[in-house]
Amino acid sequence: MLAAEYEMLRHTWFPVARVADVDETGPLSANILGEDLVVYREAGVSTVAGAYCPHRGMDLTVGQMVKGELECPYHGWRFAPGSGACTAVPSLPDRPAPPRSNLRVYPSREAYGYVWAALETPDRDLPAMPEASDPDWQFAHGGPTDLGCGLRQVTENFRDMSHFAFVHRGSMGPNVQQVVDPYKVHRDGVELRWTLDVDLGGTAMDGNEGVAGKQRFDFYLAAPMFATVKAEFPEGGHSLVVQFATPITVDGEKVRHFWSIGIDSAVFEKHGANMAEMRQWEQEIFDEDFPIMERLRPREAPLDLHSQAHTRSDKFSLEYRRIYQELIDGRIATAVSAT
């Protein structure tokens, strides 16, 4: 990874944990670009900090929450939520904490069921996802899964309809439409949108053609890696699959993959498909994608537009790579977000 790309990604929001996981298990380990992090949560507020205690370098991800604070399992030092300030040194109960005793805290926020963080002040806010706050929608969150590939490979795969008929024969069946119709990609800053009609064959989910047959896909991609696909079913109802990838090595060739699925009330009312069934089907689809992702070479999709062959179905891919290169080059104006 070139230095300019590394710097761009340091100023990007990435998901580091599911909120429900932090609530259930306590402090969790996370990583962005090879930097080890600890995620902890108290009173509805998540904190993302450096993973190692400033005293003797103990891994705080194996600590616990005590009186609303993160306690180091080695010497019992405690750190406040939000600020990461050292609030207790049990071996010196009558003295203030020594210098350099606070945790380094990173910009963080909660959105769409995830804890997000950035290594530096983010250049842009997170894209809007109105379905997440619509009471007619319900969501389930999959993953996370670590994959040996770059975030562009993952992001492109999610939108590549021409692989459905081959990679997803197991989850979708043998009758998936192979031809990708011509389409137009609409760009707005770092965002891309396009629409395609598709026939998934109608054999999946015990032959439930209402959700596994013909439908319209509205694709959305916000570089560098925020992506959704909204399906509109002919007889009513919608689903929304959301995908994020966080680089967890300095070279960017390993990512942590997060995904969610949402459905509106009409999916069950008109087609009898509930959230558990839709989530399971989507998990099967991703499970077929993962081994493909890890066998692609190079491990990251090249930004050089001439080193690979392209077809008309790859139009979105070319536009995405152009935007990504512009982000690296700093040619797209930034919109600084509040943390």
Tab-separated table of all heavy atoms in Angstrom, residues 113-153:
chain	number	residue	atom	x	y	z
A	113	GLY	N	-26.038	-0.195	14.031
A	113	GLY	CA	-25.769	-1.411	14.791
A	113	GLY	C	-24.303	-1.711	15.003
A	113	GLY	O	-23.968	-2.764	15.568
A	114	TYR	N	-23.420	-0.795	14.600
A	114	TYR	CA	-21.983	-1.018	14.700
A	114	TYR	C	-21.292	0.114	15.453
A	114	TYR	O	-21.778	1.250	15.497
A	114	TYR	CB	-21.355	-1.126	13.301
A	114	TYR	CG	-21.829	-2.330	12.532
A	114	TYR	CD1	-22.947	-2.273	11.717
A	114	TYR	CD2	-21.163	-3.554	12.644
A	114	TYR	CE1	-23.399	-3.389	11.026
A	114	TYR	CE2	-21.606	-4.666	11.959
A	114	TYR	CZ	-22.722	-4.586	11.155
A	114	TYR	OH	-23.169	-5.698	10.476
A	115	VAL	N	-20.145	-0.202	16.033
A	115	VAL	CA	-19.222	0.807	16.537
A	115	VAL	C	-18.250	1.125	15.408
A	115	VAL	O	-17.641	0.212	14.829
A	115	VAL	CB	-18.456	0.310	17.766
A	115	VAL	CG1	-17.519	1.411	18.274
A	115	VAL	CG2	-19.409	-0.132	18.868
A	116	TRP	N	-18.099	2.407	15.100
A	116	TRP	CA	-17.201	2.867	14.045
A	116	TRP	C	-16.049	3.648	14.671
A	116	TRP	O	-16.219	4.308	15.699
A	116	TRP	CB	-17.934	3.768	13.060
A	116	TRP	CG	-19.077	3.099	12.341
A	116	TRP	CD1	-20.295	2.772	12.863
A	116	TRP	CD2	-19.094	2.671	10.988
A	116	TRP	NE1	-21.077	2.167	11.912
A	116	TRP	CE2	-20.368	2.087	10.751
A	116	TRP	CE3	-18.173	2.723	9.948
A	116	TRP	CZ2	-20.713	1.562	9.509
A	116	TRP	CZ3	-18.525	2.207	8.708
A	116	TRP	CH2	-19.783	1.628	8.503
A	117	ALA	N	-14.902	3.587	14.031
A	117	ALA	CA	-13.744	4.329	14.525
A	117	ALA	C	-12.878	4.753	13.353
A	117	ALA	O	-12.982	4.224	12.236
A	117	ALA	CB	-12.932	3.479	15.502
A	118	ALA	N	-12.025	5.724	13.622
A	118	ALA	CA	-11.037	6.179	12.643
A	118	ALA	C	-9.739	6.448	13.389
A	118	ALA	O	-9.750	6.827	14.569
A	118	ALA	CB	-11.510	7.437	11.926
A	119	LEU	N	-8.621	6.268	12.712
A	119	LEU	CA	-7.328	6.494	13.346
A	119	LEU	C	-6.993	7.979	13.439
A	119	LEU	O	-6.205	8.392	14.289
A	119	LEU	CB	-6.229	5.754	12.589
A	119	LEU	CG	-6.381	4.227	12.553
A	119	LEU	CD1	-5.211	3.597	11.802
A	119	LEU	CD2	-6.503	3.634	13.955
A	120	GLU	N	-7.579	8.776	12.566
A	120	GLU	CA	-7.428	10.233	12.599
A	120	GLU	C	-8.800	10.849	12.367
A	120	GLU	O	-9.766	10.145	12.055
A	120	GLU	CB	-6.456	10.711	11.502
A	120	GLU	CG	-5.108	10.019	11.487
A	120	GLU	CD	-4.187	10.426	12.617
A	120	GLU	OE1	-4.531	11.398	13.330
A	120	GLU	OE2	-3.130	9.778	12.784
A	121	THR	N	-8.912	12.154	12.515
A	121	THR	CA	-10.190	12.835	12.287
A	121	THR	C	-10.718	12.493	10.900
A	121	THR	O	-10.021	12.721	9.897
A	121	THR	CB	-10.026	14.357	12.407
A	121	THR	OG1	-9.537	14.672	13.710
A	121	THR	CG2	-11.356	15.053	12.184
A	122	PRO	N	-11.922	11.924	10.797
A	122	PRO	CA	-12.430	11.493	9.485
A	122	PRO	C	-12.657	12.667	8.534
A	122	PRO	O	-13.061	13.757	8.947
A	122	PRO	CB	-13.766	10.815	9.840
A	122	PRO	CG	-13.643	10.456	11.285
A	122	PRO	CD	-12.808	11.528	11.908
A	123	ASP	N	-12.383	12.415	7.269
A	123	ASP	CA	-12.597	13.424	6.243
A	123	ASP	C	-14.068	13.584	5.890
A	123	ASP	O	-14.485	14.651	5.430
A	123	ASP	CB	-11.827	13.060	4.961
A	123	ASP	CG	-10.327	13.268	5.103
A	123	ASP	OD1	-9.929	14.075	5.963
A	123	ASP	OD2	-9.573	12.621	4.364
A	124	ARG	N	-14.850	12.512	6.079
A	124	ARG	CA	-16.258	12.525	5.671
A	124	ARG	C	-17.109	11.845	6.717
A	124	ARG	O	-16.642	10.959	7.432
A	124	ARG	CB	-16.461	11.795	4.332
A	124	ARG	CG	-15.852	12.511	3.164
A	124	ARG	CD	-15.911	11.695	1.887
A	124	ARG	NE	-15.247	12.437	0.839
A	124	ARG	CZ	-13.924	12.517	0.705
A	124	ARG	NH1	-13.141	11.859	1.524
A	124	ARG	NH2	-13.400	13.244	-0.258
A	125	ASP	N	-18.365	12.264	6.748
A	125	ASP	CA	-19.303	11.591	7.628
A	125	ASP	C	-19.715	10.269	6.994
A	125	ASP	O	-19.478	10.027	5.800
A	125	ASP	CB	-20.534	12.472	7.857
A	125	ASP	CG	-21.235	12.147	9.158
A	125	ASP	OD1	-20.923	11.106	9.759
A	125	ASP	OD2	-22.104	12.939	9.562
A	126	LEU	N	-20.349	9.424	7.783
A	126	LEU	CA	-20.899	8.185	7.242
A	126	LEU	C	-22.051	8.492	6.304
A	126	LEU	O	-22.832	9.419	6.546
A	126	LEU	CB	-21.411	7.298	8.380
A	126	LEU	CG	-20.354	6.622	9.253
A	126	LEU	CD1	-21.030	5.934	10.429
A	126	LEU	CD2	-19.580	5.607	8.439
A	127	PRO	N	-22.210	7.716	5.238
A	127	PRO	CA	-23.376	7.899	4.370
A	127	PRO	C	-24.673	7.626	5.121
A	127	PRO	O	-24.711	6.869	6.092
A	127	PRO	CB	-23.149	6.856	3.264
A	127	PRO	CG	-21.683	6.590	3.272
A	127	PRO	CD	-21.272	6.715	4.706
A	128	ALA	N	-25.727	8.277	4.677
A	128	ALA	CA	-27.038	8.079	5.296
A	128	ALA	C	-27.613	6.724	4.895
A	128	ALA	O	-27.388	6.237	3.786
A	128	ALA	CB	-27.984	9.193	4.868
A	129	MET	N	-28.362	6.116	5.805
A	129	MET	CA	-29.075	4.871	5.525
A	129	MET	C	-30.450	4.993	6.185
A	129	MET	O	-30.673	4.530	7.300
A	129	MET	CB	-28.301	3.670	6.065
A	129	MET	CG	-28.757	2.339	5.474
A	129	MET	SD	-27.578	1.001	5.839
A	129	MET	CE	-27.946	0.670	7.561
A	130	PRO	N	-31.411	5.644	5.515
A	130	PRO	CA	-32.693	5.969	6.149
A	130	PRO	C	-33.473	4.751	6.618
A	130	PRO	O	-34.251	4.843	7.567
A	130	PRO	CB	-33.447	6.742	5.054
A	130	PRO	CG	-32.740	6.428	3.775
A	130	PRO	CD	-31.318	6.181	4.143
A	131	GLU	N	-33.274	3.606	5.978
A	131	GLU	CA	-34.010	2.407	6.395
A	131	GLU	C	-33.691	2.017	7.840
A	131	GLU	O	-34.510	1.413	8.528
A	131	GLU	CB	-33.685	1.238	5.464
A	131	GLU	CG	-34.133	1.422	4.028
A	131	GLU	CD	-33.131	2.198	3.185
A	131	GLU	OE1	-32.079	2.619	3.738
A	131	GLU	OE2	-33.378	2.388	1.977
A	132	ALA	N	-32.477	2.370	8.307
A	132	ALA	CA	-32.060	1.966	9.646
A	132	ALA	C	-32.899	2.605	10.743
A	132	ALA	O	-33.007	2.061	11.849
A	132	ALA	CB	-30.588	2.308	9.860
A	133	SER	N	-33.507	3.746	10.461
A	133	SER	CA	-34.341	4.424	11.455
A	133	SER	C	-35.831	4.351	11.122
A	133	SER	O	-36.646	4.960	11.802
A	133	SER	CB	-33.909	5.888	11.590
A	133	SER	OG	-33.996	6.555	10.343
A	134	ASP	N	-36.183	3.586	10.100
A	134	ASP	CA	-37.582	3.434	9.698
A	134	ASP	C	-38.205	2.299	10.506
A	134	ASP	O	-37.740	1.159	10.438
A	134	ASP	CB	-37.644	3.118	8.200
A	134	ASP	CG	-39.066	3.102	7.655
A	134	ASP	OD1	-40.011	2.860	8.430
A	134	ASP	OD2	-39.241	3.318	6.440
A	135	PRO	N	-39.268	2.563	11.283
A	135	PRO	CA	-39.856	1.506	12.122
A	135	PRO	C	-40.455	0.353	11.331
A	135	PRO	O	-40.734	-0.707	11.908
A	135	PRO	CB	-40.926	2.252	12.925
A	135	PRO	CG	-41.232	3.479	12.123
A	135	PRO	CD	-39.960	3.858	11.448
A	136	ASP	N	-40.649	0.522	10.025
A	136	ASP	CA	-41.184	-0.571	9.208
A	136	ASP	C	-40.109	-1.588	8.832
A	136	ASP	O	-40.421	-2.635	8.275
A	136	ASP	CB	-41.821	0.006	7.931
A	136	ASP	CG	-42.639	-1.040	7.179
A	136	ASP	OD1	-43.444	-1.740	7.830
A	136	ASP	OD2	-42.462	-1.164	5.945
A	137	TRP	N	-38.856	-1.281	9.150
A	137	TRP	CA	-37.748	-2.163	8.810
A	137	TRP	C	-37.182	-2.820	10.060
A	137	TRP	O	-37.159	-2.223	11.138
A	137	TRP	CB	-36.623	-1.372	8.119
A	137	TRP	CG	-36.909	-1.036	6.684
A	137	TRP	CD1	-37.773	-0.079	6.224
A	137	TRP	CD2	-36.326	-1.636	5.536
A	137	TRP	NE1	-37.758	-0.041	4.855
A	137	TRP	CE2	-36.884	-0.992	4.398
A	137	TRP	CE3	-35.387	-2.647	5.333
A	137	TRP	CZ2	-36.520	-1.335	3.098
A	137	TRP	CZ3	-35.031	-2.989	4.039
A	137	TRP	CH2	-35.600	-2.333	2.934
A	138	GLN	N	-36.712	-4.052	9.912
A	138	GLN	CA	-35.948	-4.723	10.959
A	138	GLN	C	-34.635	-5.209	10.361
A	138	GLN	O	-34.558	-5.539	9.173
A	138	GLN	CB	-36.713	-5.893	11.569
A	138	GLN	CG	-37.144	-6.956	10.578
A	138	GLN	CD	-37.804	-8.149	11.243
A	138	GLN	OE1	-37.277	-8.713	12.194
A	138	GLN	NE2	-38.968	-8.552	10.730
A	139	PHE	N	-33.601	-5.256	11.200
A	139	PHE	CA	-32.256	-5.594	10.724
A	139	PHE	C	-31.641	-6.708	11.562
A	139	PHE	O	-31.918	-6.839	12.753
A	139	PHE	CB	-31.339	-4.366	10.771
A	139	PHE	CG	-31.532	-3.419	9.622
A	139	PHE	CD1	-32.549	-2.474	9.664
A	139	PHE	CD2	-30.728	-3.489	8.498
A	139	PHE	CE1	-32.745	-1.602	8.602
A	139	PHE	CE2	-30.915	-2.629	7.428
A	139	PHE	CZ	-31.928	-1.681	7.483
A	140	ALA	N	-30.797	-7.493	10.915
A	140	ALA	CA	-29.952	-8.483	11.591
A	140	ALA	C	-28.529	-8.281	11.079
A	140	ALA	O	-28.322	-7.879	9.926
A	140	ALA	CB	-30.429	-9.904	11.300
A	141	HIS	N	-27.548	-8.569	11.930
A	141	HIS	CA	-26.153	-8.263	11.617
A	141	HIS	C	-25.327	-9.538	11.582
A	141	HIS	O	-25.294	-10.304	12.536
A	141	HIS	CB	-25.588	-7.295	12.653
A	141	HIS	CG	-26.435	-6.072	12.844
A	141	HIS	ND1	-26.654	-5.155	11.831
A	141	HIS	CD2	-27.156	-5.646	13.910
A	141	HIS	CE1	-27.444	-4.199	12.280
A	141	HIS	NE2	-27.774	-4.478	13.539
A	142	GLY	N	-24.649	-9.762	10.459
A	142	GLY	CA	-23.810	-10.940	10.297
A	142	GLY	C	-22.354	-10.632	10.579
A	142	GLY	O	-21.980	-9.508	10.904
A	143	GLY	N	-21.527	-11.697	10.460
A	143	GLY	CA	-20.091	-11.512	10.633
A	143	GLY	C	-19.728	-11.255	12.071
A	143	GLY	O	-20.515	-11.525	12.967
A	144	PRO	N	-18.517	-10.700	12.301
A	144	PRO	CA	-17.497	-10.380	11.299
A	144	PRO	C	-16.675	-11.601	10.875
A	144	PRO	O	-16.623	-12.585	11.600
A	144	PRO	CB	-16.608	-9.369	12.030
A	144	PRO	CG	-16.733	-9.753	13.470
A	144	PRO	CD	-18.137	-10.260	13.650
A	145	THR	N	-16.047	-11.493	9.704
A	145	THR	CA	-15.197	-12.549	9.166
A	145	THR	C	-13.921	-11.930	8.621
A	145	THR	O	-13.976	-10.939	7.892
A	145	THR	CB	-15.915	-13.303	8.032
A	145	THR	OG1	-17.141	-13.847	8.517
A	145	THR	CG2	-15.037	-14.422	7.490
A	146	ASP	N	-12.771	-12.485	8.971
A	146	ASP	CA	-11.494	-11.999	8.448
A	146	ASP	C	-11.180	-12.707	7.129
A	146	ASP	O	-11.292	-13.934	7.026
A	146	ASP	CB	-10.368	-12.254	9.442
A	146	ASP	CG	-10.477	-11.372	10.674
A	146	ASP	OD1	-11.356	-10.483	10.695
A	146	ASP	OD2	-9.677	-11.564	11.612
A	147	LEU	N	-10.786	-11.914	6.137
A	147	LEU	CA	-10.524	-12.427	4.797
A	147	LEU	C	-9.161	-11.962	4.310
A	147	LEU	O	-8.766	-10.815	4.561
A	147	LEU	CB	-11.596	-11.942	3.812
A	147	LEU	CG	-13.040	-12.335	4.098
A	147	LEU	CD1	-13.976	-11.617	3.136
A	147	LEU	CD2	-13.215	-13.836	3.992
A	148	GLY	N	-8.480	-12.839	3.579
A	148	GLY	CA	-7.175	-12.523	3.029
A	148	GLY	C	-7.276	-11.860	1.675
A	148	GLY	O	-6.887	-12.441	0.650
A	149	CYS	N	-7.786	-10.635	1.663
A	149	CYS	CA	-7.876	-9.855	0.424
A	149	CYS	C	-8.044	-8.390	0.801
A	149	CYS	O	-8.226	-8.047	1.967
A	149	CYS	CB	-9.036	-10.328	-0.452
A	149	CYS	SG	-10.655	-10.068	0.287
A	150	GLY	N	-7.988	-7.516	-0.200
A	150	GLY	CA	-8.127	-6.091	0.035
A	150	GLY	C	-9.577	-5.639	0.050
A	150	GLY	O	-10.473	-6.345	-0.408
A	151	LEU	N	-9.804	-4.436	0.564
A	151	LEU	CA	-11.183	-3.967	0.692
A	151	LEU	C	-11.824	-3.666	-0.652
A	151	LEU	O	-13.042	-3.789	-0.799
A	151	LEU	CB	-11.259	-2.761	1.625
A	151	LEU	CG	-10.644	-1.418	1.234
A	151	LEU	CD1	-11.580	-0.586	0.369
A	151	LEU	CD2	-10.299	-0.624	2.494
A	152	ARG	N	-11.041	-3.325	-1.678
A	152	ARG	CA	-11.643	-3.090	-2.995
A	152	ARG	C	-12.145	-4.394	-3.597
A	152	ARG	O	-13.196	-4.420	-4.256
A	152	ARG	CB	-10.636	-2.407	-3.934
A	152	ARG	CG	-10.276	-0.986	-3.519
A	152	ARG	CD	-9.560	-0.232	-4.635
A	152	ARG	NE	-8.303	-0.851	-5.054
A	152	ARG	CZ	-7.138	-0.653	-4.470
A	152	ARG	NH1	-7.045	0.117	-3.388
A	152	ARG	NH2	-6.033	-1.229	-4.933
A	153	GLN	N	-11.407	-5.483	-3.397
A	153	GLN	CA	-11.880	-6.778	-3.903
A	153	GLN	C	-13.235	-7.129	-3.288
A	153	GLN	O	-14.160	-7.565	-3.983
A	153	GLN	CB	-10.861	-7.883	-3.574
A	153	GLN	CG	-9.520	-7.756	-4.259
A	153	GLN	CD	-9.544	-8.183	-5.728
A	153	GLN	OE1	-10.531	-7.989	-6.429
A	153	GLN	NE2	-8.449	-8.749	-6.196
